[in-house]
Amino acid sequence: MPIDTEAAAAVDQAHRREWAFVLAATVRLVRDFDLAEECVQDAYARALTEWAAHGVPAKPGAWLTTVARRRGLDLLRRDSTMQRALPMLITDQAEDTADLALAELDSAAAIPDDRLRLISTCCHPALAREAQVALTLRLVCGVTTAEVARAFLISESTMAARITRAKKKIAVARIPYRVPSVRELPHRLDAICAVIHLQFTTGHTAPSGDALVRADLVDRALQLARMMHALVPGDPAVTGLLALILLTDARRAARVDAEGRLCTLEHQDRSRWDRAAISEGIALVKTALPHTDRYTLQAAIAAVHDEAPSWAETDWREITGLYVLLLRIWPSPVVRLNHAVAVGLSGNPTRALALLDTLAGEPSLATYGYFEAARAAFLTQLGRTTEAARAYESALLLTENAIERAHLEARRSDLTP
């Protein structure tokens, strides 16, 4: 049977836009992550045939939610799964029903979005922090296991096992599916911020595909960051995270030219940057900057770029100094890589290459194409074209995004006389 392309396109769009909403609404009913995910997948599969036969509904998300929730109720009744889901019902059975109702009303008012409520639940302190973030990205944000693995710089099989263990922990430990109150949020803020940040970075430069940006992920991350800032406006990390997203995404329109080619910061048309977003982001940085958390420092770096009238007028000394501060509180291999790049762009490519060489044995950078691309750029600058060509080849092997691949291939071709 031929595939209805219009229905398939509508289902694909609904998956990008509605997955988190549909899953959150279904989990809220069945109180079981695996069961909810199964029901939502069934709803999308059914949509392919139903929408081809009867047309795309006016509200695809509502249609999918209704089908998924009905499927969940059917499975609970037919297979007596309610006994398995019962320990995860909102709160401990010992709590008074009236108190529970009041708590739910209070929490729902405090956290107005189902996605954010589900993120808060997945980020339960009983789970290891990396498991919290990975599970939430996979289930709530609609990021594939492969994309989550790439964000963590580990293999897909390792990430799949980590997500499975997190789901089992929720079931075995009988972690309640309960919306945290505003008083409980501070204990989960670190993981929630990490989820939103990784969702943004995954969308900012898509790991694979023909588009540089996955706007659905970027826009969703910005929405969630705004919600968190409204909930806890005095938290510097949340303020810094919102600023970082605004200041980085402000350049979106200039990152690809009219022919679809990647434009690096050096070659971007800065008149196309979103000045309103930049102004908002800078104001937020000024509010948060006395507290040097990792998001605020990254936002400050983005602000230096955004305030520079041109590439030549970028204050690389200030950027390098900010990276030094960032390394003190977040000494990750990727931050060390970015610091090395900043050193090179401040006028010392030899020193930058030496710093990069110290990272050559880092397992987490073994599959990170930007590491080899950075080496290639500085090797080119130093006239070591044969080594640069090899580095570009290595970077290409690790790069799946079509626009980034085309950019790397062009840089490699420029080395050929």
Side-chain angles (χ1 to χ4, degrees):
M1 180 178 178
I3 297 175
D4 185 294
T5 54
E6 183 180 349
V11 171
D12 180 66
Q13 186 178 54
H15 186 274
R16 288 177 176 269
R17 292 184 176 180
E18 310 287 355
W19 171 270
F21 292 106
V22 178
L23 181 65
T26 307
V27 170
R28 185 144 48 92
L29 175 71
V30 303
R31 312 297 178 185
D32 183 291
F33 290 127
D34 281 331
L35 178 61
E37 191 173 17
E38 176 187 339
C39 293
V40 174
Q41 288 170 345
D42 285 349
Y44 276 94
R46 183 174 168 183
L48 276 173
T49 55
E50 292 284 332
W51 295 1
H54 306 292
V56 179
K59 297 181 178 180
W63 188 98
L64 289 160
T65 300
T66 299
V67 172
R69 286 165 67 94
R70 284 176 179 169
R71 175 65 173 162
L73 286 173
D74 288 343
L75 289 175
L76 287 172
R77 293 190 187 104
R78 187 189 69 189
D79 300 328
S80 299
T81 316
M82 186 64 80
Q83 293 303 314
R84 177 165 63 89
L86 193 59
M88 297 174 64
L89 286 173
I90 299 181
T91 189
D92 296 334
Q93 296 175 2
E95 281 194 73
D96 180 77
T97 305
D99 290 341
L100 169 61
L102 288 172
E104 275 290 283
L105 286 171
D106 176 66
S107 297
I111 306 178
D113 187 280
D114 253 349
R115 297 167 301 170
L116 189 53
R117 290 157 63 183
L118 188 52
I119 288 174
S120 299
T121 303
C122 287
C123 294
H124 193 282
L127 296 174
R129 185 181 177 282
E130 287 192 347
Q132 294 174 28
V133 176
L135 180 64
T136 311
L137 282 170
R138 174 68 192 93
L139 289 184
V140 184
C141 301
V143 179
T144 67
T145 302
E147 290 170 337
V148 179
R150 188 180 181 91
F152 278 84
L153 302 180
I154 61 175
S155 70
E156 184 175 352
S157 59
T158 299
M159 180 52 68
R162 183 177 295 175
I163 291 172
T164 298
R165 286 195 299 270
K167 289 180 180 178
K168 287 181 178 178
K169 176 67 178 289
I170 288 174
V172 172
R174 297 188 174 187
I175 293 173
Y177 179 83
R178 181 172 63 81
V179 178
S181 68
V182 173
R183 292 186 301 275
E184 294 174 297
L185 271 177
H187 302 291
R188 309 189 191 192
L189 277 181
D190 186 54
I192 292 171
C193 286
V195 166
I196 296 172
H197 181 239
L198 282 174
Q199 183 178 14
F200 170 72
T201 56
T202 301
H204 179 68
T205 302
S208 59
D210 296 329
L212 181 66
V213 177
R214 276 195 58 182
D216 58 315
L217 292 180
V218 172
D219 293 342
R220 204 176 296 161
L222 179 56
Q223 291 166 6
L224 292 170
R226 286 195 183 280
M227 289 177 195
M228 289 303 302
H229 186 249
L231 284 173
V232 282
D235 187 89
V238 173
T239 302
L241 175 60
L242 176 56
L244 173 61
I245 293 174
L246 285 166
L247 291 165
T248 307
D249 189 49
R251 313 179 204 123
R252 188 197 307 190
R255 294 179 64 209
V256 177
D257 66 15
E259 285 73 40
R261 295 172 300 198
L262 177 69
C263 289
T264 60
L265 267 174
E266 182 179 3
H267 299 106
Q268 286 180 16
D269 178 358
R270 299 185 178 218
S271 68
R272 300 183 66 196
W273 289 2
D274 186 340
R275 292 297 163 185
I278 290 172
S279 296
E280 183 183 359
I282 289 173
L284 289 168
V285 170
K286 289 178 179 177
T287 300
L289 199 51
H291 304 271
T292 52
D293 62 273
R294 66 184 179 110
Y295 301 113
T296 300
L297 285 172
Q298 289 178 89
I301 292 168
V304 176
H305 283 297
D306 289 357
E307 290 184 302
S310 67
W311 172 259
E313 295 171 275
T314 303
D315 191 340
W316 289 107
R317 179 170 295 183
E318 183 177 1
I319 289 174
T320 303
L322 287 168
Y323 271 119
V324 170
L325 292 176
L326 184 58
L327 280 169
R328 291 176 185 171
I329 62 170
W330 192 31
S332 74
V334 173
V335 175
R336 292 170 63 193
L337 165 62
N338 289 334
H339 169 255
V341 171
V343 169
L345 293 174
S346 66
N348 198 338
T350 301
R351 174 60 178 159
L353 199 57
L355 289 171
L356 289 172
D357 286 343
T358 66
L359 296 172
E362 286 286 348
S364 60
L365 296 181
T367 58
Y368 197 57
Y370 298 119
F371 172 71
E372 290 293 346
R375 290 189 67 253
F378 291 125
L379 286 166
T380 301
Q381 194 172 341
L382 293 169
R384 296 161 61 177
T385 55
T386 301
E387 294 171 86
R390 287 199 296 266
Y392 276 125
E393 289 287 351
S394 297
L396 280 163
L397 289 173
L398 301 171
T399 303
E400 297 179 28
N401 183 282
I403 291 179
E404 288 190 309
R405 285 188 59 83
H407 176 75
L408 292 172
E409 286 168 352
R411 297 289 78 75
R412 181 188 57 181
S413 297
D414 288 343
L415 298 175
T416 304

